[in-house]
Amino acid sequence: MSPRYTDLQLDALRELANIASGTAATALSQMLAREVELNVPRALALPLADAVEAAGAPGETVSGVVIPLEGDIEGLVLLLIPLDSAETLCRLLGVEAGSEVGDSALSEIGNILGTSYLNALAAMTGLALGPCPPHLSTDLLGAIVASVLAATAGEAEMALVMDSELDVAGEPCSMSFLLLPTAGGAGDLLAPLGLAETAA
Amino acid sequence: MGELKVSRARDGELVAIGLGSCIGLAVVDGSACVAGLAHVVLPDSQGVNGPAAKFADTAIPEMMASLRTVGASKSRCRAVLVGGARMFALSGGLDIGARNDAAVREALALEGIEMLAAATGGNRGRTVRVMVGTGEVLVQEAGGDNFTLLGPRRPDARHARPIRQLKLTGAET
């Protein structure tokens, strides 16, 4: 059965995403020594194809960093960095974009964002949550997001997407950060909030 | 993801942008100038209700039924597969792309549909375009080449055409 989410549940998830991505933005800001702005996070329950569209243009080339979750919740976090933003990030960190070191730096950004996001989420919910090592692929956005969704939400009709947009101030640099729990994982995230019951 | 379209528009083009582990399943009836394209996400429906084209086992019967409505004849239909890549080498993760590839081939064999060409596997995303009028199938690999996976229909060469199978790896060819 496909889970459905009530407005109350989505509001609660949005608030979790808001606080957790605020923590992640602070971590990125410290790493880059730049101000990082956080746009209003979203929590969306969407059919799979729409979830891909919500993440961006499927034909755009992006760097995607996947960080599978370890602990009480099944799912993964996905950091999507457009090509020009990836170049900016590498420049800010003093490494060459597109090189092995550049890719490693992007993975590390994913790791730091993911860890701080998950730590904040764990603190709020009391769940044990941690990141697995990151995996990077620079490819078509559609290929990255659809493959990740197939693995997490594949059998359900609806995917839960919690995303936030991070902008590095004064630089042409933005990225989106997505938490993609499995259908079961979303329920586990809502349970500590007393909102586990899914709508009929 | 899970979409299916068939067309008999001579100037039509069916496109699936950004296939990763998913399979773009193209089926063409060159003589009737009709074609279909499905975006298959997972290998096995396991009895789950969902869009039929989302699962390999249910996508092929659905494709053939839809193609019949636009005038295709099953005996003339030929299939082409694109996608099934492994985008991330996740430890312990199952290779959904390879399982999709195998499941679609098996379902085609079960239905008795010949597969003419495939650009599957590897670790790059792909975009597939099917030219409805000519039966051409064009593939674009992320960061790589554009190539013609299936050429335009030539009635005299139809039965002589060898099965062409491109197993693509990450390397450019």
Side-chain angles (χ1 to χ4, degrees):
Chain A
M1 281 279 108
S2 263
R4 295 183 183 282
Y5 301 96
T6 63
D7 288 345
L8 183 64
Q9 286 174 322
L10 290 175
D11 281 344
L13 292 170
R14 191 174 300 118
E15 191 51 29
L16 285 182
N18 190 18
I19 297 166
S21 43
T23 311
T26 305
L28 180 64
S29 172
Q30 283 164 357
M31 185 181 183
L32 299 174
R34 289 282 199 292
E35 207 171 304
V36 173
E37 285 159 20
L38 172 68
N39 292 334
V40 180
R42 302 183 294 180
L44 307 165
L46 298 169
L48 297 185
D50 294 349
V52 176
E53 295 286 333
E60 189 192 352
T61 301
V62 297
S63 287
V65 184
V66 166
I67 301 145
L69 304 189
E70 196 176 51
D72 289 342
I73 289 183
E74 262 191 291
L76 50 82
V77 295
L78 173 63
L79 178 66
L80 295 173
I81 314 170
L83 269 192
D84 52 347
S85 294
E87 280 168 20
T88 303
L89 285 174
C90 286
R91 175 169 56 75
L92 290 175
L93 293 169
V95 296
E96 193 186 333
S99 68
E100 206 175 308
V101 181
D103 282 355
S104 169
L106 295 180
S107 293
E108 188 51 27
I109 287 175
N111 197 27
I112 285 170
L113 284 174
T115 304
S116 44
Y117 186 100
L118 293 174
N119 282 345
L121 211 53
M124 284 184 285
T125 57
L127 294 163
L129 277 176
C132 293
H135 293 270
L136 177 106
S137 170
T138 298
D139 208 291
L140 303 170
L141 179 143
I144 289 173
V145 178
S147 302
V148 161
L149 282 172
T152 56
E155 272 142 34
E157 269 177 67
M158 306 284 274
L160 179 67
V161 179
M162 295 161 68
D163 72 344
S164 0
E165 184 88 14
L166 301 171
D167 289 317
V168 179
E171 301 283 351
C173 183
S174 65
M175 66 203 84
S176 36
F177 185 86
L178 300 88
L179 175 66
L180 304 166
T182 62
D188 292 338
L189 197 54
L190 286 161
L193 309 174
L195 295 170
E197 294 300 312
T198 52
Chain B
M1 299 179 82
E3 300 98 326
L4 184 151
K5 283 206 172 72
V6 296
S7 174
R8 59 180 160 203
R10 297 262 167 164
D11 57 350
E13 182 189 53
L14 300 168
V15 187
I17 298 170
L19 294 163
S21 64
C22 301
I23 298 273
L25 163 70
V27 179
V28 297
D29 176 344
S31 302
C33 291
V34 301
L37 181 63
H39 186 153
V40 180
V41 180
L42 291 172
D44 187 358
S45 65
Q46 298 173 319
V48 172
N49 274 331
K54 188 168 151 185
F55 305 100
D57 57 332
T58 48
I60 281 94
E62 177 79 1
M63 170 70 86
M64 298 321 296
S66 302
L67 278 172
R68 261 196 302 278
T69 66
V70 291
S73 154
K74 183 174 165 183
S75 62
R76 291 191 307 249
C77 281
R78 304 287 183 268
V80 171
L81 308 189
V82 177
R86 184 171 204 188
M87 304 298 297
F88 297 95
L90 298 178
S91 56
L94 299 165
D95 189 347
I96 294 177
R99 287 167 57 215
N100 279 338
D101 190 13
V104 171
R105 286 171 197 244
E106 192 181 318
L108 284 171
L110 204 64
E111 192 79 14
I113 307 295
E114 187 187 350
M115 191 185 75
L116 282 184
T120 54
N123 59 5
R124 308 245 57 133
R126 301 177 176 92
T127 291
V128 60
R129 294 172 199 280
V130 183
M131 308 300 163
V132 177
T134 65
E136 279 172 284
V137 179
L138 310 177
V139 176
Q140 184 174 11
E141 255 198 274
D145 302 331
N146 297 340
F147 59 93
T148 302
L149 187 58
L150 190 65
R153 179 181 70 103
R154 284 179 299 152
D156 55 318
R158 192 150 53 89
H159 299 292
R161 182 181 295 284
I163 292 177
R164 190 154 66 100
Q165 203 166 313
L166 303 174
K167 263 289 182 190
L168 301 178
T169 61
E172 313 239 332
T173 51

